[in-house]
Amino acid sequence: MAALASGAPRVAPTTPATPAPTPEYPEHCPPDVERLGRSTWTFLHTTAAYFPDRPSPTQRANMLMLLRALPTLYPCGHCADHLGSEMATHPPDVSSRAALSRWLCERHNEVNERLGKERFDCGLRSLDERWKDGPNDGSCG
Ligand SMILES: Cc1cc2nc3c(=O)[nH]c(=O)nc-3n(C[C@H](O)[C@H](O)[C@H](O)COP(=O)(O)OP(=O)(O)OC[C@H]3O[C@@H](n4cnc5c(N)ncnc54)[C@H](O)[C@@H]3O)c2cc1C
């Protein structure tokens, strides 16, 4: 678990001979970086999955406002800074549902890579399966 506030006091990491199991962070506690991240990605990818194929100018403008607010409002300082730099070199593409879903997937993959996690397949079929339709096996109802 990682502290959320960027100004939180830091303790030098120690390396015990036998690593202790990571205790589960209680569900009722305020979100840490991981939990906030999972919830935020869920919101963003799901919102992109239901964005119109042909958004109106107002829908595009509202989506741009939502995304551009994140680097100033997201309550994890270093996450927000990285996202701001990413958005400066890769401006949001809100021209369609497919374009937005891919753009978001690529930004998420940038974070995944930085954290040493696997990249996600940014094809629309994979994204829709994860965030809109569920797999064909019916396991999601
Ligand atoms: C804008 C933003 C910036 C962040 N920056 C940082 C940071 O700088 N440092 C840090 O430590 N943490 C950061 N985080 C949090 C981090 O990305 C993870 O959310 C957190 O580490 C929890 O990871 P997780 O493995 O549970 O899955 P998450 O990365 O939260 O992913 C949730 C689910 O999304 C799916 N998924 C994975 N990758 C993709 C993709 N590319 N496209 C679509 N779906 C995908 C998978 O099914 C996965 O289970 C950030 C979060 C956000 C929203």
Side-chain angles (χ1 to χ4, degrees):
M1 144 198 0
L4 189 54
S6 51
R10 287 163 193 262
V11 178
T14 55
T15 313
T18 308
T22 308
E24 196 55 42
Y25 188 55
E27 195 60 44
H28 65 275
C29 296
D32 57 6
V33 173
E34 284 79 19
R35 193 173 290 171
L36 175 70
R38 270 191 293 278
S39 303
T40 305
W41 288 125
T42 296
F43 166 66
L44 291 174
H45 289 300
T46 309
T47 303
Y50 287 90
F51 197 60
D53 290 323
R54 298 168 64 186
S56 68
T58 304
Q59 288 167 322
R60 292 180 195 210
N62 284 340
M63 181 54 73
L64 275 179
M65 273 194 288
L66 172 67
L67 296 172
R68 286 176 180 160
L70 289 173
T72 59
L73 294 178
Y74 193 67
C76 159
H78 65 278
C79 309
D81 289 346
H82 277 293
L83 181 64
S85 308
E86 268 290 298
M87 286 174 65
T89 49
H90 302 93
D93 186 345
V94 298
S95 57
S96 68
R97 182 181 95 79
L100 176 62
S101 297
R102 172 176 283 278
W103 179 85
L104 205 53
C105 180
E106 287 167 353
R107 304 293 68 76
H108 193 165
N109 271 342
E110 187 279 328
V111 180
N112 289 344
E113 276 194 344
R114 202 154 29 79
L115 299 182
K117 299 182 187 181
E118 281 189 14
R119 291 177 64 84
F120 195 89
D121 173 8
C122 289
L124 193 58
R125 188 187 298 246
S126 302
L127 290 170
D128 278 352
E129 180 177 309
R130 175 65 180 91
W131 296 110
K132 188 161 170 275
D133 302 328
N136 281 336
D137 62 10
S139 55
C140 296

